[in-house]
Amino acid sequence: MTNEKRLLLAITLSLLIVTGWSFVTSKMYPQQKQLVTATKPAAQQPAAAKAPIVQSWDESSLQNFYLPSQDIEFALPYATLKKAIFKDYQNSAFDLHTGFLLPDKELLFKVSQNGHKITFVHQDTNKRITKVFSSPKSKYNMELGITIENLGSAPISLEYPLVIGELKIQSGHFAERLKEIYFAEKEKVVHLSPFRNYSTSGEIKFAGFRDRYFCVVVQPEQSGYKGYIKKISNEHSEMGIVYPLKILPGQTQQLNFHIYLGPQELQLLKASEVEWGAVVYYGIFDAIARALMQGLRFINNIVGNWGLTLILLSVAIYFILFPLSIKQMRSMKRMQEIQPKVEELRAKYKKDASELNKKVLELYQREKVNPFSGCLPMILQIPIFFALYQGLIRSIELKGATFLWIKDLAEPDKLISLSQAIPFVGKDINILPVLMAILMFFQQKLTMTSSGASSTAAEQQKMMMYIMPVLFGVIFYNMPSGLVLYWFVNSILMLVFQLRMTQQSVSKQGIIDV
């Protein structure tokens, strides 16, 4: 296999992985706790598995709770938090659907509101339940207090679930695949797919879930809580926490919770509670992604524009990897020089594959050529690319950030919007991936014309000249424009370097005169 084929294979596999990244990472999250399967006896399920779920609300029953940074919508009479609308982020909504529901059809609440405090009260012959939501200090922090008074003559003894929220998935929507549930179990936080039944084996410190940009974190003051995920259907899951209650007649039980309901900004989460920073998670390249995002924020604090920040990051990474790029070009040049000898061996041993491989390896050793060294910069780019991809698609700072004609760096650039959809394209024309594909075409053409390869290799390069730009263009077409901008700038730098290399020769010592 030629060096060009190996490079094409590496790039193709990498990009195919990117397109299915959300699915792949959901399988890679640590799964060290016992999973609750559909065949498990009902008696072993958490109490919330039997709880009814409220699927829809009458709009006339909604109660708004206005805070300085967000508007919160509660649904009556069940006193559940339906969604939050964030004023600082283009009025984006984060849906909990059934947030903080006590799932009992008999619990019907009445509401009263006083400033930044909203109170829900239920009372029957056996109990009085009071739920108080308050926003005492931080923009995105709330406190929830639940008071349960036993008014009857018999003890109240049960595992009382608190539903943190219900996750709904609309098939075909990219952002829906970024929804995730997390539990702080023992000394680590596990990140889980919403669509599986799950029960924590031990107690948790905090729990919650997130979508692309926003999250909810709930931390009980009392110890002894366990977490669960209940799959309702193929498109619905419920998650929450369970606590064992035993309240004697005339006694009262007070349950308190610290809540974060806001954007997935690491500094905001850590300012609320240091451990909550673990909510921001970028998959298997989490450490690299965090470093890149910190670098991006540092650069943006200086230049003040996210588009320019991404360009500068691309330039910085290019020059960090520049020594390896020189090594790559030197390796490719040496491979091109010995290509005629490789073709001679192929013609001579075309009927004996094992002998051909042996002779080719001997040739590489004799000429001191490593056919794989040219792929090293690309291999190092793969984790950087994946980490940046995960960081950018979840970065709320890029939401609404503009650059040139791009209205939102977190979305495709959408230069032109059509009234009618075009097959395989849609209603939006994204020009940046097209420009990137054209640039790659010239890169491949330049490589082909300067290689001096044999007719067979030339045919392979000609095939790559057309396939690779189309492949990249298709895969990048609906990616966030910030990510495409990063790769586009990287491609420009590589093309400039390649143009310069065609005008220079490799010295006898193999050192490129740059």
Side-chain angles (χ1 to χ4, degrees), residues 357-375:
N357 291 334
K358 179 181 176 182
K359 294 296 182 181
V360 169
L361 287 174
E362 290 176 354
L363 174 64
Y364 289 158
Q365 292 175 355
R366 190 164 59 251
E367 298 289 341
K368 297 180 180 180
V369 173
N370 184 352
F372 299 101
S373 62
C375 296

PDB file of all heavy atoms in Angstrom, residues 357-375:
ATOM      1  N   ASN A 357       6.522  -8.192  -0.928  1.00  0.00           N
ATOM      2  CA  ASN A 357       6.550  -7.457   0.337  1.00  0.00           C
ATOM      3  C   ASN A 357       7.930  -7.476   0.969  1.00  0.00           C
ATOM      4  O   ASN A 357       8.398  -6.473   1.518  1.00  0.00           O
ATOM      5  CB  ASN A 357       5.527  -8.039   1.310  1.00  0.00           C
ATOM      6  CG  ASN A 357       4.103  -7.777   0.874  1.00  0.00           C
ATOM      7  OD1 ASN A 357       3.835  -6.817   0.169  1.00  0.00           O
ATOM      8  ND2 ASN A 357       3.183  -8.648   1.275  1.00  0.00           N
ATOM      9  N   LYS A 358       8.580  -8.637   0.863  1.00  0.00           N
ATOM     10  CA  LYS A 358       9.924  -8.768   1.424  1.00  0.00           C
ATOM     11  C   LYS A 358      10.903  -7.835   0.720  1.00  0.00           C
ATOM     12  O   LYS A 358      11.695  -7.133   1.369  1.00  0.00           O
ATOM     13  CB  LYS A 358      10.385 -10.220   1.305  1.00  0.00           C
ATOM     14  CG  LYS A 358      11.785 -10.474   1.836  1.00  0.00           C
ATOM     15  CD  LYS A 358      12.167 -11.941   1.645  1.00  0.00           C
ATOM     16  CE  LYS A 358      13.603 -12.180   2.090  1.00  0.00           C
ATOM     17  NZ  LYS A 358      14.010 -13.588   1.864  1.00  0.00           N
ATOM     18  N   LYS A 359      10.839  -7.797  -0.594  1.00  0.00           N
ATOM     19  CA  LYS A 359      11.758  -6.969  -1.366  1.00  0.00           C
ATOM     20  C   LYS A 359      11.492  -5.480  -1.165  1.00  0.00           C
ATOM     21  O   LYS A 359      12.429  -4.668  -1.107  1.00  0.00           O
ATOM     22  CB  LYS A 359      11.653  -7.318  -2.859  1.00  0.00           C
ATOM     23  CG  LYS A 359      12.134  -8.732  -3.213  1.00  0.00           C
ATOM     24  CD  LYS A 359      13.622  -8.885  -2.936  1.00  0.00           C
ATOM     25  CE  LYS A 359      14.116 -10.292  -3.338  1.00  0.00           C
ATOM     26  NZ  LYS A 359      15.562 -10.465  -3.046  1.00  0.00           N
ATOM     27  N   VAL A 360      10.225  -5.131  -1.055  1.00  0.00           N
ATOM     28  CA  VAL A 360       9.887  -3.727  -0.830  1.00  0.00           C
ATOM     29  C   VAL A 360      10.401  -3.267   0.537  1.00  0.00           C
ATOM     30  O   VAL A 360      10.953  -2.168   0.675  1.00  0.00           O
ATOM     31  CB  VAL A 360       8.366  -3.504  -0.943  1.00  0.00           C
ATOM     32  CG1 VAL A 360       7.985  -2.106  -0.454  1.00  0.00           C
ATOM     33  CG2 VAL A 360       7.904  -3.684  -2.378  1.00  0.00           C
ATOM     34  N   LEU A 361      10.237  -4.114   1.571  1.00  0.00           N
ATOM     35  CA  LEU A 361      10.752  -3.775   2.897  1.00  0.00           C
ATOM     36  C   LEU A 361      12.273  -3.636   2.883  1.00  0.00           C
ATOM     37  O   LEU A 361      12.834  -2.744   3.536  1.00  0.00           O
ATOM     38  CB  LEU A 361      10.327  -4.841   3.909  1.00  0.00           C
ATOM     39  CG  LEU A 361       8.851  -4.837   4.314  1.00  0.00           C
ATOM     40  CD1 LEU A 361       8.534  -6.026   5.211  1.00  0.00           C
ATOM     41  CD2 LEU A 361       8.484  -3.532   5.013  1.00  0.00           C
ATOM     42  N   GLU A 362      12.932  -4.529   2.144  1.00  0.00           N
ATOM     43  CA  GLU A 362      14.390  -4.428   2.018  1.00  0.00           C
ATOM     44  C   GLU A 362      14.786  -3.117   1.347  1.00  0.00           C
ATOM     45  O   GLU A 362      15.786  -2.490   1.723  1.00  0.00           O
ATOM     46  CB  GLU A 362      14.927  -5.616   1.230  1.00  0.00           C
ATOM     47  CG  GLU A 362      14.847  -6.936   1.990  1.00  0.00           C
ATOM     48  CD  GLU A 362      15.297  -8.118   1.122  1.00  0.00           C
ATOM     49  OE1 GLU A 362      15.563  -7.902  -0.084  1.00  0.00           O
ATOM     50  OE2 GLU A 362      15.363  -9.241   1.649  1.00  0.00           O
ATOM     51  N   LEU A 363      14.011  -2.718   0.338  1.00  0.00           N
ATOM     52  CA  LEU A 363      14.277  -1.453  -0.348  1.00  0.00           C
ATOM     53  C   LEU A 363      14.118  -0.285   0.619  1.00  0.00           C
ATOM     54  O   LEU A 363      14.962   0.633   0.629  1.00  0.00           O
ATOM     55  CB  LEU A 363      13.320  -1.296  -1.537  1.00  0.00           C
ATOM     56  CG  LEU A 363      13.383   0.047  -2.285  1.00  0.00           C
ATOM     57  CD1 LEU A 363      14.759   0.223  -2.943  1.00  0.00           C
ATOM     58  CD2 LEU A 363      12.267   0.144  -3.322  1.00  0.00           C
ATOM     59  N   TYR A 364      13.056  -0.296   1.416  1.00  0.00           N
ATOM     60  CA  TYR A 364      12.852   0.774   2.383  1.00  0.00           C
ATOM     61  C   TYR A 364      14.012   0.846   3.381  1.00  0.00           C
ATOM     62  O   TYR A 364      14.477   1.943   3.732  1.00  0.00           O
ATOM     63  CB  TYR A 364      11.540   0.554   3.148  1.00  0.00           C
ATOM     64  CG  TYR A 364      10.290   0.783   2.331  1.00  0.00           C
ATOM     65  CD1 TYR A 364       9.067   0.204   2.699  1.00  0.00           C
ATOM     66  CD2 TYR A 364      10.315   1.576   1.188  1.00  0.00           C
ATOM     67  CE1 TYR A 364       7.924   0.417   1.959  1.00  0.00           C
ATOM     68  CE2 TYR A 364       9.169   1.793   0.449  1.00  0.00           C
ATOM     69  CZ  TYR A 364       7.971   1.210   0.831  1.00  0.00           C
ATOM     70  OH  TYR A 364       6.846   1.428   0.098  1.00  0.00           O
ATOM     71  N   GLN A 365      14.486  -0.320   3.824  1.00  0.00           N
ATOM     72  CA  GLN A 365      15.594  -0.347   4.773  1.00  0.00           C
ATOM     73  C   GLN A 365      16.878   0.158   4.135  1.00  0.00           C
ATOM     74  O   GLN A 365      17.645   0.907   4.754  1.00  0.00           O
ATOM     75  CB  GLN A 365      15.785  -1.769   5.307  1.00  0.00           C
ATOM     76  CG  GLN A 365      14.643  -2.255   6.194  1.00  0.00           C
ATOM     77  CD  GLN A 365      14.808  -3.710   6.598  1.00  0.00           C
ATOM     78  OE1 GLN A 365      15.728  -4.395   6.137  1.00  0.00           O
ATOM     79  NE2 GLN A 365      13.913  -4.193   7.457  1.00  0.00           N
ATOM     80  N   ARG A 366      17.094  -0.234   2.903  1.00  0.00           N
ATOM     81  CA  ARG A 366      18.309   0.165   2.189  1.00  0.00           C
ATOM     82  C   ARG A 366      18.322   1.671   1.919  1.00  0.00           C
ATOM     83  O   ARG A 366      19.359   2.324   2.017  1.00  0.00           O
ATOM     84  CB  ARG A 366      18.414  -0.620   0.883  1.00  0.00           C
ATOM     85  CG  ARG A 366      19.744  -0.463   0.169  1.00  0.00           C
ATOM     86  CD  ARG A 366      19.939  -1.530  -0.891  1.00  0.00           C
ATOM     87  NE  ARG A 366      18.880  -1.507  -1.917  1.00  0.00           N
ATOM     88  CZ  ARG A 366      17.944  -2.445  -2.033  1.00  0.00           C
ATOM     89  NH1 ARG A 366      17.931  -3.495  -1.206  1.00  0.00           N
ATOM     90  NH2 ARG A 366      17.021  -2.364  -2.975  1.00  0.00           N
ATOM     91  N   GLU A 367      17.162   2.190   1.575  1.00  0.00           N
ATOM     92  CA  GLU A 367      17.050   3.621   1.271  1.00  0.00           C
ATOM     93  C   GLU A 367      16.763   4.466   2.512  1.00  0.00           C
ATOM     94  O   GLU A 367      16.633   5.689   2.415  1.00  0.00           O
ATOM     95  CB  GLU A 367      15.928   3.853   0.246  1.00  0.00           C
ATOM     96  CG  GLU A 367      16.158   3.179  -1.091  1.00  0.00           C
ATOM     97  CD  GLU A 367      17.276   3.833  -1.884  1.00  0.00           C
ATOM     98  OE1 GLU A 367      17.609   5.001  -1.567  1.00  0.00           O
ATOM     99  OE2 GLU A 367      17.820   3.190  -2.796  1.00  0.00           O
ATOM    100  N   LYS A 368      16.621   3.800   3.669  1.00  0.00           N
ATOM    101  CA  LYS A 368      16.346   4.470   4.944  1.00  0.00           C
ATOM    102  C   LYS A 368      15.060   5.299   4.860  1.00  0.00           C
ATOM    103  O   LYS A 368      15.032   6.478   5.201  1.00  0.00           O
ATOM    104  CB  LYS A 368      17.524   5.341   5.362  1.00  0.00           C
ATOM    105  CG  LYS A 368      18.800   4.561   5.607  1.00  0.00           C
ATOM    106  CD  LYS A 368      19.944   5.458   6.027  1.00  0.00           C
ATOM    107  CE  LYS A 368      21.212   4.651   6.276  1.00  0.00           C
ATOM    108  NZ  LYS A 368      22.348   5.523   6.687  1.00  0.00           N
ATOM    109  N   VAL A 369      13.999   4.623   4.414  1.00  0.00           N
ATOM    110  CA  VAL A 369      12.695   5.260   4.256  1.00  0.00           C
ATOM    111  C   VAL A 369      11.695   4.569   5.169  1.00  0.00           C
ATOM    112  O   VAL A 369      11.614   3.338   5.192  1.00  0.00           O
ATOM    113  CB  VAL A 369      12.207   5.186   2.794  1.00  0.00           C
ATOM    114  CG1 VAL A 369      10.772   5.691   2.687  1.00  0.00           C
ATOM    115  CG2 VAL A 369      13.112   5.995   1.898  1.00  0.00           C
ATOM    116  N   ASN A 370      10.948   5.346   5.917  1.00  0.00           N
ATOM    117  CA  ASN A 370       9.858   4.820   6.737  1.00  0.00           C
ATOM    118  C   ASN A 370       8.532   5.220   6.092  1.00  0.00           C
ATOM    119  O   ASN A 370       8.168   6.410   6.110  1.00  0.00           O
ATOM    120  CB  ASN A 370       9.936   5.374   8.164  1.00  0.00           C
ATOM    121  CG  ASN A 370       8.873   4.781   9.069  1.00  0.00           C
ATOM    122  OD1 ASN A 370       7.971   4.073   8.625  1.00  0.00           O
ATOM    123  ND2 ASN A 370       8.969   5.068  10.358  1.00  0.00           N
ATOM    124  N   PRO A 371       7.804   4.271   5.499  1.00  0.00           N
ATOM    125  CA  PRO A 371       6.570   4.633   4.789  1.00  0.00           C
ATOM    126  C   PRO A 371       5.471   5.180   5.695  1.00  0.00           C
ATOM    127  O   PRO A 371       4.511   5.769   5.203  1.00  0.00           O
ATOM    128  CB  PRO A 371       6.141   3.306   4.142  1.00  0.00           C
ATOM    129  CG  PRO A 371       6.749   2.247   5.000  1.00  0.00           C
ATOM    130  CD  PRO A 371       8.056   2.818   5.478  1.00  0.00           C
ATOM    131  N   PHE A 372       5.604   4.978   6.991  1.00  0.00           N
ATOM    132  CA  PHE A 372       4.559   5.433   7.908  1.00  0.00           C
ATOM    133  C   PHE A 372       4.854   6.794   8.529  1.00  0.00           C
ATOM    134  O   PHE A 372       3.961   7.411   9.094  1.00  0.00           O
ATOM    135  CB  PHE A 372       4.357   4.409   9.030  1.00  0.00           C
ATOM    136  CG  PHE A 372       3.928   3.057   8.545  1.00  0.00           C
ATOM    137  CD1 PHE A 372       4.839   2.017   8.444  1.00  0.00           C
ATOM    138  CD2 PHE A 372       2.609   2.837   8.183  1.00  0.00           C
ATOM    139  CE1 PHE A 372       4.437   0.774   7.989  1.00  0.00           C
ATOM    140  CE2 PHE A 372       2.203   1.598   7.729  1.00  0.00           C
ATOM    141  CZ  PHE A 372       3.114   0.557   7.624  1.00  0.00           C
ATOM    142  N   SER A 373       6.086   7.268   8.440  1.00  0.00           N
ATOM    143  CA  SER A 373       6.436   8.508   9.119  1.00  0.00           C
ATOM    144  C   SER A 373       5.692   9.711   8.550  1.00  0.00           C
ATOM    145  O   SER A 373       5.449  10.695   9.251  1.00  0.00           O
ATOM    146  CB  SER A 373       7.947   8.746   9.050  1.00  0.00           C
ATOM    147  OG  SER A 373       8.357   8.892   7.689  1.00  0.00           O
ATOM    148  N   GLY A 374       5.321   9.641   7.293  1.00  0.00           N
ATOM    149  CA  GLY A 374       4.597  10.749   6.680  1.00  0.00           C
ATOM    150  C   GLY A 374       3.206  10.944   7.244  1.00  0.00           C
ATOM    151  O   GLY A 374       2.604  12.009   7.089  1.00  0.00           O
ATOM    152  N   CYS A 375       2.682   9.910   7.894  1.00  0.00           N
ATOM    153  CA  CYS A 375       1.326  10.008   8.461  1.00  0.00           C
ATOM    154  C   CYS A 375       1.319  10.544   9.886  1.00  0.00           C
ATOM    155  O   CYS A 375       0.246  10.784  10.439  1.00  0.00           O
ATOM    156  CB  CYS A 375       0.654   8.630   8.451  1.00  0.00           C
ATOM    157  SG  CYS A 375       0.394   7.960   6.791  1.00  0.00           S
TER     158      CYS A 375
END
